[in-house]
Amino acid sequence: FRAYDCEGNYNDCMVQVEVNDKLPPVVLDCPDPVDISCDDYLENYAAALDAGDWSVLDVFGTALFYDNCDLDIDYDVTMSLDQCSEGTITRSWTATDPSGNFPATCTQTINVFHVSDWVVEFPDDFTGNCVDGQLPDTGAPEVYFDECELIGVSHSDEQFDIVPDACYKIVRTWTVMDWCSFDP
């Protein structure tokens, strides 16, 4: 530093300056919580997330931080979904600066809710002949729109002998249960 007076005289002064960053990072924008259906999750996000591609979640927004100096941002995704694809996806961002100031954090929760819109179609009644004592294939229930479900199918048979050792009738009772919405 050099200072002059009005006569042209001057004086020099040398100082060593140490610059300190005293300002912590701040959150400028943190995305709001989001609700999506399990159908939407399975159709648009599940495959990419299973492969570790978190970028598909950027459609729900990203965090924005500011710092007067350099800034490092850590990003983490925690998934807590049950076997029916219901639960939460939690996205967390943490911004730190090299000076060790208190970090800034942002958390977004994506709630994945269950949708129960499945349909079952039962096989038609069947009349036929046994071959070598074996019952022919009479079909099974077909279940549609069950992406968010855990469907269990079972049956029980009741046999009525009409003519001994000749004709009989079997009444098959089907039970179809969705374990995702079952309430005992």
Side-chain angles (χ1 to χ4, degrees), residues 86-105:
E86 182 176 33
T88 59
I89 302 169
T90 305
R91 303 168 70 202
S92 301
W93 295 266
T94 303
T96 56
D97 63 17
S99 298
N101 291 314
F102 194 76
T105 60

Side-chain angles (χ1 to χ4, degrees), residues 30-51:
C30 188
D32 293 327
V34 176
D35 294 335
I36 63 172
S37 71
C38 58
D39 287 330
D40 187 20
Y41 165 75
L42 291 169
E43 184 176 324
N44 298 309
Y45 308 106
L49 293 174
D50 288 344

Side-chain angles (χ1 to χ4, degrees), residues 54-176:
W54 307 126
S55 67
V56 297
L57 298 175
D58 289 348
V59 298
F60 302 116
T62 58
L64 183 61
F65 297 93
Y66 170 78
D67 191 69
N68 59 324
C69 295
D70 290 334
L71 180 62
D72 292 321
I73 299 175
D74 291 322
Y75 177 58
D76 186 44
V77 176
T78 304
M79 297 182 54
S80 180
L81 300 174
D82 63 16
Q83 66 274 17
C84 301
S85 298
E86 182 176 33
T88 59
I89 302 169
T90 305
R91 303 168 70 202
S92 301
W93 295 266
T94 303
T96 56
D97 63 17
S99 298
N101 291 314
F102 194 76
T105 60
C106 166
T107 301
Q108 178 191 40
T109 302
I110 301 169
N111 297 300
V112 182
F113 61 90
H114 183 254
V115 174
S116 189
D117 57 357
W118 60 286
V119 177
V120 63
E121 186 177 303
F122 291 97
D124 292 331
D125 289 345
F126 176 82
T127 301
N129 295 318
C130 297
V131 178
D132 296 328
Q134 297 293 318
L135 289 174
D137 182 13
T138 59
E142 292 187 46
V143 181
Y144 304 95
F145 312 113
D146 61 336
E147 292 80 11
C148 296
E149 314 301 336
L150 276 178
I151 303 293
V153 178
S154 65
H155 70 273
S156 61
D157 292 338
E158 188 175 359
Q159 182 171 328
F160 298 95
D161 292 320
I162 298 170
V163 176
D165 296 328
C167 295
Y168 57 89
K169 176 180 183 176
I170 297 176
V171 175
R172 177 165 286 171
T173 303
W174 291 100
T175 302
V176 179

